[in-house]
Amino acid sequence: MKRILFCLMLLAGFAAANTCTEAVFKLYKGSLDIKKGEAYHDSSYFMENYYKENPWSHKRYYTNGKLDSLVMDPMDGESLRITHYYWNIDETKLSGKGSEFVFFQETSGDTIVLKYKTYYDGEFESSTIVKITDSYISTLDEQDHSFQELFFSNDTLFKKNVFDYDSENSRPEIFFTVGDSTNELKCYEYRMEDDKPELYETIEIINTDNGYMLKYLEESSTGYYLREFFFVYDEEGPTGIRKQRPAAKISPKARYFDLLGRYKFTR
């Protein structure tokens, strides 16, 4: 592990400051830390094309600057799937239907501390603690026994995942993202494999009429995985008030993403 980290630090020393890596860090903040006047995550599009096409999309809704709900469209004729988000409420007030997140937010110095719990059909599934600063994010999933850190070092963005973190057989996984030396709107994510960095994804910022898109592309000999995250600029921030949440039939095996872009599966 020491040798891996040493090699990474050498690589980091040659990386240039890059707007793309900053946008990637902002994506991992997701909808947890939205500042007035900044672009916020509005929607996403995904296409898995390994042997067959599998597209889906997400739309995020906000109430008074806080994430309210996320609507997933499987884009295959199935019903929409919805995850609801609640902030600082009594958990007994949950609807007990479908996927629901309950957030409790605190501030300690320059650090935002978020504790959230996930429920499905009223049953508790997991609890997670997220700590956010301007240059560091950590996520501790107490049920999955996983820990993730995201931080900058010499203008390189590092991501370290540790599975079974509280055991003697913990399994670390290291990624790092470096900017393109000739294009500040492009960067590359590498994954360490057998002490060697291998290109994992190409990432690019593409300007849109009202913001920008962060495009991820993972390619292999069997196909590709495309992810597009759309950010919108609004001087007042995401303040739209929803009078009624969208109604939809929720599949008992609905798939969704959590706020850090990771796959989450219900039972």
Side-chain angles (χ1 to χ4, degrees), residues 55-242:
W56 69 97
S57 65
H58 290 105
K59 171 65 178 176
R60 295 172 180 241
Y61 293 93
Y62 297 84
T63 296
N64 297 328
K66 295 289 188 182
L67 185 63
D68 173 280
S69 55
L70 181 149
V71 180
M72 173 187 171
D73 182 354
M75 301 179 71
D76 59 3
E78 293 186 12
S79 299
L80 301 178
R81 303 168 185 175
I82 304 174
T83 299
H84 293 302
Y85 301 91
Y86 305 89
W87 296 80
N88 301 309
I89 70 164
D90 186 337
E91 294 164 57
T92 61
K93 295 181 179 179
L94 296 176
S95 70
K97 298 178 181 179
S99 302
E100 297 180 291
F101 283 57
V102 183
F103 285 85
F104 302 93
Q105 181 172 331
E106 303 173 358
T107 301
S108 177
D110 62 350
T111 302
I112 295 174
V113 180
L114 284 160
K115 300 177 182 179
Y116 68 87
K117 298 179 181 180
T118 61
Y119 290 83
Y120 191 79
D121 282 347
E123 294 187 21
F124 172 78
E125 288 197 325
S126 65
S127 59
T128 304
I129 299 174
V130 181
K131 296 181 180 180
I132 301 173
T133 72
D134 289 339
S135 59
Y136 176 83
I137 302 173
S138 69
T139 305
L140 173 63
D141 189 314
E142 297 177 321
Q143 272 58 51
D144 288 345
H145 301 281
S146 63
F147 180 73
Q148 181 184 83
E149 287 184 300
L150 197 75
F151 58 92
F152 281 100
S153 177
N154 293 331
D155 301 319
T156 295
L157 182 62
F158 288 88
K159 181 175 68 175
K160 181 179 179 182
N161 301 322
V162 182
F163 304 98
D164 297 324
Y165 72 92
D166 54 354
S167 75
E168 295 181 356
N169 300 312
S170 62
R171 295 172 289 121
E173 181 181 50
I174 297 175
F175 296 80
F176 64 96
T177 302
V178 296
D180 188 308
S181 60
T182 62
N183 185 353
E184 67 174 6
L185 301 182
K186 196 171 186 179
C187 51
Y188 307 93
E189 183 177 66
Y190 293 84
R191 177 170 59 185
M192 295 302 295
E193 295 284 351
D194 298 324
D195 295 358
K196 297 179 180 179
E198 292 190 1
L199 180 63
Y200 186 64
E201 289 185 296
T202 299
I203 309 168
E204 186 176 4
I205 297 175
I206 299 174
N207 292 322
T208 61
D209 290 340
N210 59 346
Y212 66 90
M213 175 183 73
L214 192 59
K215 176 182 175 181
Y216 282 69
L217 182 61
E218 174 191 334
E219 296 180 286
S220 72
S221 59
T222 58
Y224 67 87
Y225 180 26
L226 171 69
R227 294 183 290 162
E228 296 177 335
F229 301 93
F230 294 88
F231 284 76
V232 174
Y233 285 105
D234 187 335
E235 291 184 1
E236 297 300 320
T239 57
I241 298 177
R242 297 189 51 81

Side-chain angles (χ1 to χ4, degrees), residues 34-48:
I34 302 174
K35 293 181 172 61
K36 185 176 179 179
E38 288 187 347
Y40 63 90
H41 187 183
D42 175 76
S43 55
S44 309
Y45 171 77
F46 303 85
M47 169 64 85
E48 284 181 313

